[in-house]
C-alpha cells in the first residue's frame, strides 16, 4: 500500500508515533488510509452542508475497512465574489485548490482519496489534483440548491441578478426586488440551474469519476447522504482493484463529457475546465473538438438560464444517466469507458429511460439538432471564443453592430446602467482575460444589466473575460488571444462594425488587415497594476482562455 511508507518498518517508527497521537490503533495501521478532501466552509452556500456529506463518507470508508482522514480544500462563492476585486481570485483559486490537494496527499501518502467539491472552480481544481496524483480516487459533490418560489413562479440566483437592473430601469419596485432577494436561494447547495457548478458536477459523473446521481441529487435530500456512504465504500473497491483516475479519464471519457455538455446546454466555463483537467491527464482537448461534437449532438434539455427547468427537475426526470442513455441511442457516446463503480458507461446507463419528456427530450424531438455551446473564430478571435448558443435568442444568432469598447467591467456596467447603450450595439469588455484581469472575471453583472434593461434581444457582449453559468443572451467570452497579450480585441475602437454569425461559428470586425497593422504600431504594451501577491504570480504563468487558462 502507498501508506506503508509511513506505517511499516523500523524507519517508520517516528511516523507511527505521530499516527498514534491521532488516535490511530495498531489494527488500523494494517488498513488502507483514505484521504477525504472536504471543501466545507461557512461562507459558500454550496459548501455549508459538506460537513454532513463528509461524515457520511467517513462512515462508508470505515464500514468498508478503511481508515478515513479529513483535510480541507478552499472554495470561492462566485456569486459573493461577483462585481468586485474578489472575482479576480475565483478562477485563480482553481490552481491553488489543485496544488494544495496535491501537496497534502503527497506529504501524507494515502492509498485512496475521496474528493468532496461543489462550486465552480472547486470541482475542476480537485479533478485536476486527482489526475495529477493518479491514485485511486472518487468524487461526491455537495449537491444542487432547490429552486426558489415567488408568486407561483420558480426563480433562482440568475433572476435576482437581472432583477437589480430591472429595478434600476424602473421596471421593478424596491419591495419586489426585496422579495426576489429573499426567495431566490432558499436552501444550501450549488445554485439551482445548469450554471457552472452544476455543469461540472454533472460532467464529473459523465467522466466516470462519481456515482450516478452526483450531478443532480439536491443538496438537502437524504438521498445524497446515502450516495456519500456508497462513495466512501466504493473508494475501497478502487483501492483494492488499483483503478486510478487516468484509467477512467481517458480521451474517450472527455469526448463523452463534451457530448453531454452539449446535450445539456451547460456553462461556457466547461470549455475552460475540461481542457485543464485533460491537460493534467496528459491529454490535449482543443476547441475544435468541441465544435465537431456540438455539430452532431442535439440539445435535449433547456435548463435555467437557457430555459425554465431546474436541476431538481432534471433529477426527477432520470438525471444524467437518462440523458446519456438517450444520447447513446444515436451512437454519440463511448460506452466502453470505465467508471468509478467498476462498470462501463454502457452498463451503468442500460435501462435508464427518461421519466419526463418535458424535462429531457427524446433524440427524435430535440430542442435543437446542435449542441448548446459553440466556439467562434475570426479576425477578432483567431484562437477562438465561446458562446452558450442555447441561451441566445433566435434573432441574435446573427448580429452586426457598432462596437462600444470598454477597458474593464466597471466602465461598461456604468454605461449600461446610465442608458448609454443602444439597441444594435456590441459591447466589448477587454483587459479582463486570464493575464489582463488578472483572473478572467465573470461578467454576470453586465450581461444581467443588459437583459434587465430590455436589451437582451438587440445587444451583444464580447469579452476576453468569461461569463457566469447564470448568464444568458448573446454573450461571447474567452476571446483569445486576449487584449493583455496584444490580441486583436485590444485594437478595437468605438464604432468598428462587428459581425457575429453563431450558426457559421464566426466572429469578425470589419476592418482591413492593413488597418490592424497601423493600429498595432501605436498599441501600448500592457502593464498590470497588480505587482505582488498570488495574482501577480498567476498573471505571469497563466495561458489563454483558449487553452483552458492553464499555468505554464
Amino acid at each position: 500500500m502507498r501508506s506503508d511508507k509511513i506505517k511499516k518498518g523500523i524507519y517508520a517508527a517516528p511516523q507511527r508515533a505521530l499516527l498514534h497521537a491521532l488516535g490511530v490503533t495498531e489494527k488500523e495501521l494494517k488498513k488502507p488510509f483514505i484521504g477525504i478532501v472536504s471543501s466545507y466552509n461557512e461562507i459558500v452556500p454550496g459548501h455549508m452542508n459538506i460537513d454532513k456529506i463528509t461524515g457520511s463518507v467517513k462512515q462508508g470508508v470505515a464500514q468498508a475497512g478503511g481508515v478515513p482522514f479529513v483535510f480541507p480544500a478552499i472554495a470561492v462563492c462566485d456569486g459573493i465574489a461577483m462585481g468586485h476585486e474578489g472575482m479576480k481570485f475565483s478562477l485563480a483559486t482553481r490552481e491553488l485548490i489543485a496544488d494544495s490537494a496535491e501537496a497534502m496527499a503527497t506529504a501524507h501518502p494515502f492509498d485512496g482519496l475521496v474528493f468532496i467539491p461543489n462550486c465552480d472552480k472547486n470541482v475542476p481544481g480537485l479533478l485536476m489534483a486527482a489526475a495529477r496524483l493518479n491514485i485511486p480516487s472518487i468524487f461526491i459533490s455537495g449537491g444542487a440548491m432547490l429552486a426558489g418560489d415567488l408568486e407561483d413562479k420558480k426563480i433562482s440566483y440568475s433572476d435576482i441578478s437581472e432583477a437589480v437592473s430591472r429595478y434600476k430601469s424602473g421596471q421593478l419596485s424596491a419591495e419586489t426586488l426585496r422579495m426576489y432577494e429573499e426567495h431566490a436561494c432558499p436552501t444550501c447547495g450549488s445554485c439551482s440551474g445548469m450554471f457552472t457548478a452544476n455543469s461540472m458536477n454533472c460532467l464529473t459523473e459523465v467522466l466516470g469519476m462519481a456515482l450516478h446521481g452526483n450531478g443532480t441529487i439536491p443538496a438537502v435530500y437524504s438521498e445524497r447522504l446515502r450516495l456519500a456512504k456508497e462513495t466512501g465504500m466504493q473508494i475501497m473497491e478502487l483501492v483494492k482493484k488499483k483503478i486510478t483516475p487516468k484509467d477512467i479519464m481517458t480521451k474517450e471519457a472527455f469526448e463523452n463529457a463534451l457530448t453531454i455538455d452539449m446535450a445539456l446546454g451547460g456553462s461556457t466555463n466547461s470549455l475552460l475546465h475540461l481542457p485543464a483537467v485533460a491537460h493534467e491527464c496528459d491529454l490535449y482537448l482543443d476547441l475544435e473538438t468541441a465544435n465537431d461534437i456540438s455539430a452532431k449532438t442535439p440539445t435535449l434539455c433547456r435548463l435555467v438560464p437557457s430555459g425554465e427547468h431546474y436541476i431538481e427537475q432534471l433529477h426527477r426526470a432520470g438525471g444524467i444517466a437518462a440523458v446519456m442513455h438517450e444520447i447513446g441511442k444515436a451512437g454519440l457516446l463511448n460506452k466502453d469507458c470505465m467508471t468509478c463503480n467498476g462498470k462501463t458507461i454502457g452498463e451503468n446507463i442500460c435501462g435508464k429511460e427518461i421519466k419526463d419528456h418535458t424535462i429531457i427530450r427524446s433524440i427524435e424531438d430535440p430542442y435543437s439538432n446542435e449542441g448548446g455551446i459553440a466556439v467562434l473564430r475570426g479576425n477578432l478571435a483567431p484562437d477562438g471564443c465561446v458562446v452558450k448558443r442555447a441561451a441566445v435568442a433566435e434573432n441574435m444568432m446573427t448580429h452586426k453592430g457598432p462596437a462600444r469598447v470598454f477597458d474593464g467591467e466597471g466602465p461598461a456596467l456604468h454605461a449600461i446602467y446610465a442608458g448609454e447603450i443602444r439597441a444594435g450595439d456590441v459591447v466589448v469588455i477587454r483587459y479582463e482575460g486570464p493575464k489582463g484581469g488578472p483572473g478572467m472575471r465573470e461578467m454576470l453583472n453586465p450581461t444581467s444589466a443588459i437583459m434587465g434593461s430590455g436589451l437582451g434581444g438587440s445587444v451583444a457582449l464580447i469579452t476576453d473575460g468569461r461569463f457566469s453559468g447564470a448568464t444568458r443572451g448573446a454573450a461571447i467570452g474567452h476571446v483569445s488571444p486576449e487584449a493583455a497579450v496584444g490580441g486583436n480585441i485590444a485594437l478595437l475602437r468605438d464604432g468598428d462594425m462587428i459581425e457575429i454569425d453563431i450558426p457559421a461559428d464566426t466572429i469578425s470586425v470589419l476592418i482591413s488587415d492593413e488597418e490592424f497593422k497601423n493600429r498595432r504600431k501605436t498599441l501600448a504594451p500592457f502593464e498590470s497594476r497588480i505587482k505582488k501577491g498570488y495574482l501577480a504570480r498567476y498573471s505571469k504563468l497563466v495561458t489563454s482562455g483558449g487553452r483552458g487558462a492553464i499555468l505554464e
Side-chain angles (χ1 to χ4, degrees):
M1 289 189 292
R2 189 169 179 263
S3 60
D4 283 350
K5 65 185 73 174
I6 60 170
K7 296 191 300 187
K8 289 188 174 181
I10 188 67
Y11 295 110
Q15 284 95 332
R16 286 196 298 272
L18 292 167
L19 291 170
H20 288 320
L22 292 171
V24 176
T25 67
E26 289 292 336
K27 192 173 183 179
E28 286 176 316
L29 286 173
K30 298 174 183 177
K31 298 179 178 181
F33 279 12
I34 305 300
I36 299 174
V37 190
S38 172
S39 303
Y40 169 73
N41 65 51
E42 294 182 340
I43 186 61
V44 182
H47 291 238
M48 62 182 285
N49 64 317
I50 283 179
D51 57 337
K52 309 296 189 300
I53 293 170
T54 301
S56 293
V57 170
K58 288 178 68 176
Q59 290 180 43
V61 169
Q63 287 172 22
V67 184
F69 297 89
V70 178
F71 64 89
I74 65 168
V76 164
C77 177
D78 281 20
I80 294 176
M82 195 75 65
H84 59 89
E85 291 297 294
M87 179 48 73
K88 292 180 182 291
F89 282 88
S90 175
L91 180 61
T93 63
R94 188 185 70 182
E95 319 309 316
L96 281 176
I97 291 162
D99 291 350
S100 60
E102 176 196 12
M104 285 293 290
T106 305
H108 315 94
F110 297 106
D111 300 300
L113 294 167
V114 180
F115 293 92
I116 313 178
N118 209 28
C119 286
D120 296 31
K121 315 310 165 299
N122 178 246
V123 181
L126 291 180
L127 282 168
M128 290 164 68
R132 194 182 299 172
L133 290 159
N134 202 34
I135 63 176
S137 300
I138 192 169
F139 280 64
I140 166 75
S141 76
M145 183 183 290
L146 294 180
D149 286 291
L150 182 62
E151 298 175 347
D152 298 323
K153 176 190 174 185
K154 293 285 187 184
I155 63 170
S156 71
Y157 174 75
S158 58
D159 291 286
I160 180 63
S161 297
E162 292 182 15
V164 173
S165 183
R166 291 169 61 197
Y167 167 72
K168 290 183 73 68
S169 61
Q171 300 174 53
L172 212 64
S173 68
E175 176 61 22
T176 304
L177 177 62
R178 188 181 65 81
M179 294 297 288
Y180 271 98
E181 183 181 326
E182 291 183 354
H183 293 277
C185 301
T187 74
C188 61
S190 47
C191 294
S192 55
M194 189 53 77
F195 309 141
T196 304
N198 290 327
S199 294
M200 291 308 301
N201 284 323
C202 289
L203 297 184
T204 301
E205 186 178 330
V206 178
L207 282 169
M209 290 298 293
L211 299 176
H212 171 55
N214 179 73
T216 57
I217 298 173
V220 295
Y221 284 14
S222 296
E223 185 181 358
R224 183 158 289 278
L225 297 179
R226 297 196 297 272
L227 185 70
K229 288 180 185 177
E230 292 169 5
T231 299
M233 290 186 275
Q234 186 58 33
I235 187 60
M236 299 305 296
E237 289 298 311
L238 292 172
V239 169
K240 187 185 302 181
K241 296 175 182 177
K242 298 181 180 179
I243 297 173
T244 66
K246 288 184 181 178
D247 294 327
I248 295 171
M249 291 194 288
T250 61
K251 179 176 181 290
E252 292 76 17
F254 281 101
E255 289 173 353
N256 282 346
L258 280 172
T259 298
I260 300 305
D261 195 25
M262 298 303 170
L264 292 169
S267 168
T268 53
N269 284 314
S270 61
L271 293 191
L272 277 177
H273 301 320
L274 287 176
V277 179
H279 176 75
E280 297 292 349
C281 293
D282 304 315
L283 299 169
Y284 178 61
L285 197 64
D286 66 11
L287 296 183
E288 286 306 310
T289 300
N291 256 8
D292 292 343
I293 289 173
S294 183
K296 59 186 179 183
T297 305
T299 302
L300 302 186
C301 300
R302 281 283 170 87
L303 297 143
V304 171
S306 302
E308 297 181 350
H309 301 142
Y310 293 85
I311 296 296
E312 63 200 76
Q313 293 169 295
L314 177 62
H315 181 63
R316 289 196 292 270
I320 297 305
V323 177
M324 294 178 75
H325 180 266
E326 195 65 22
I327 287 293
K329 291 179 181 179
L332 298 175
L333 216 57
N334 296 292
K335 295 184 180 180
D336 294 330
C337 292
M338 181 188 297
T339 72
C340 64
N341 70 352
K343 298 179 181 179
T344 65
I345 288 288
E347 290 172 319
N348 284 339
I349 65 175
C350 182
K352 301 293 185 183
E353 299 286 348
I354 299 169
K355 297 177 183 178
D356 186 343
H357 284 275
T358 64
I359 308 299
I360 307 171
R361 288 198 176 183
S362 69
I363 203 79
E364 294 83 16
D365 181 35
Y367 284 102
S368 167
N369 290 321
E370 295 179 304
I373 299 174
V375 176
L376 314 183
R377 291 185 188 273
N379 66 355
L380 186 51
D383 294 342
C385 55
V386 181
V387 62
K388 189 169 185 173
R389 176 164 45 202
V392 179
E394 188 62 33
N395 69 298
M396 289 297 291
M397 296 297 280
T398 60
H399 182 75
K400 182 179 178 182
R404 296 294 310 280
V405 183
F406 301 93
D407 291 345
E409 176 190 27
L413 192 60
H414 175 79
I416 298 166
Y417 283 147
E420 297 170 6
I421 303 302
R422 301 285 183 260
D425 285 348
V426 178
V427 175
V428 177
I429 303 178
R430 62 191 180 189
Y431 294 103
E432 289 284 6
K435 284 185 180 293
M440 207 177 187
R441 288 194 292 182
E442 288 185 348
M443 301 287 113
L444 178 60
N445 285 345
T447 54
S448 295
I450 287 171
M451 298 301 294
S453 299
L455 295 171
S458 60
V459 169
L461 192 152
I462 298 171
T463 181
D464 53 7
R466 61 192 176 90
F467 295 109
S468 164
T471 292
R472 63 191 180 103
I476 299 166
H478 309 190
V479 169
S480 301
E482 62 174 292
V485 298
N488 287 345
I489 190 173
L491 305 176
L492 291 182
R493 296 175 182 171
D494 278 349
D496 287 342
M497 294 302 293
I498 294 175
E499 192 167 55
I500 301 162
D501 191 334
I502 295 173
D505 299 327
T506 61
I507 182 167
S508 300
V509 55
L510 303 183
I511 60 176
S512 67
D513 291 344
E514 188 65 29
E515 177 63 17
F516 265 134
K517 289 179 183 178
N518 289 335
R519 291 186 186 184
R520 190 168 295 283
K521 292 175 184 176
T522 60
L523 180 65
F526 171 75
E527 186 173 349
S528 176
R529 63 183 178 83
I530 296 176
K531 304 296 183 183
K532 61 181 181 179
Y534 176 60
L535 283 180
R537 299 195 303 275
Y538 178 85
S539 181
K540 291 176 181 177
L541 298 173
V542 71
T543 61
S544 74
R547 294 186 57 198
I550 59 173
L551 300 188
E552 283 190 342

